[in-house]
Every structure is written in structure tokens, then in C-alpha cells.
Amino acid sequence: MRQLNPDYVKAVTAMANNSPYFRHLGMAITELGVGEALVEIRSQDVHRQMFGHVHGGVIASLVDTAIFWCFFGELDESAGITTVDLKVNYLAPVADGKLSARGKRIRLGRTLGLGETEVFNGEGKLVAHGTSSVIVLPGFGFPGNPELPPKFL
């Protein structure tokens, strides 16, 4: 199995964490590996719906993002992925605090992958579970072809 280059991981997570959507939600990739990724967010007033709980769309974004990035470490440098479907089970309301979503690869084939994530609040309580399928897109690299270190050692 190929090993990810730590310099590449640092560069790519910085790019992702500084992207407009990540900044908008206050979301960050805090761990990125082969078959696993951790994405975190600290809930803010802008994340709450009218009843005072974090909106389900914020949690769905965490699930989608954690699963997407859990596959990223296995792809060739010239390939990309995109979500095919997303299923989220909301298990408990969240009013405040940190949310952590750990995406895990279940299976990645040549064209399709299946992943899952569990979302925990700051006290370690499971608040959501999700699954997602992704499709591998050869030649679907980063826009603008940024200069990055080699992906694999």
C-alpha cells in the first residue's frame, strides 16, 4: 500500500480548509489518511435553525465531507471523486459545541466507493450516522493545477 506524503497532506488540507465553503461553515479537516478522515466544526449561531438546534444541513455537510476525504488518500494524483448519494440518520439534537465526523472507507473499487461516518458532539455522544457512495473520476484533479508536493512517498 502506498504511503501518503505528509507534505502533500498538509498542503491539501490547508487548501480545503481555506476554501469558501469550509470557511463559511467553520469546518476543518483535522486528520487525513488512507481510508479515514476527521472533519470538525464548532457550532455557531449561524448553524442553528429556529428551534435552537444545529441545522441538519450542517451535519449532512460534515458527513459528506468526512466520507469524501476518507477516499481521497487512495486516489491517483490525477483522479478525483464526487458524491453519488448521501444518507444521514440524525440520532440526537445538537445545540452547541464541537462536532466531529470521522469518515471511514468501507470499500473502494475502480469506479465506485462506499463510506460511512459517525458524528459525535463534544461530550462524545453519537448524534448522527451517515453513509455515502462516491464515483471515481479519472482526470478530475484540482482546478488550476496548483503546485503540490508528490502525493505518495
Side-chain angles (χ1 to χ4, degrees), residues 27-93:
M27 182 166 52
I29 301 168
T30 56
E31 294 176 24
L32 178 61
V34 175
E36 193 169 83
L38 181 64
V39 179
E40 297 180 320
I41 192 171
R42 179 157 299 282
S43 67
Q44 303 169 31
D45 284 340
V46 297
H47 297 137
R48 291 183 186 81
Q49 36 85 318
M50 63 183 264
F51 297 102
H53 300 291
V54 173
H55 191 281
V58 173
I59 294 170
S61 286
L62 276 172
V63 169
D64 184 42
T65 302
I67 293 173
F68 173 94
W69 286 101
C70 83
F71 291 112
F72 188 80
E74 295 183 62
L75 300 174
D76 289 334
E77 288 178 283
S78 65
I81 53 173
T82 194
T83 302
V84 173
D85 65 13
L86 178 67
K87 181 178 189 306
V88 180
N89 294 100
Y90 302 98
L91 305 173

Side-chain angles (χ1 to χ4, degrees), residues 6 23 26 45 51 94-95 126:
R23 285 194 328 260
D45 284 340
F51 297 102
V94 176
L126 181 66

Side-chain angles (χ1 to χ4, degrees), residues 7 22 30 59 65 73 76 89 94 100 111-112 117 121 127 132 149:
D7 293 333
F22 275 50
T30 56
I59 294 170
T65 302
D76 289 334
N89 294 100
V94 176
S100 301
T111 56
L112 291 175
T117 191
N121 67 11
V127 297
S132 178

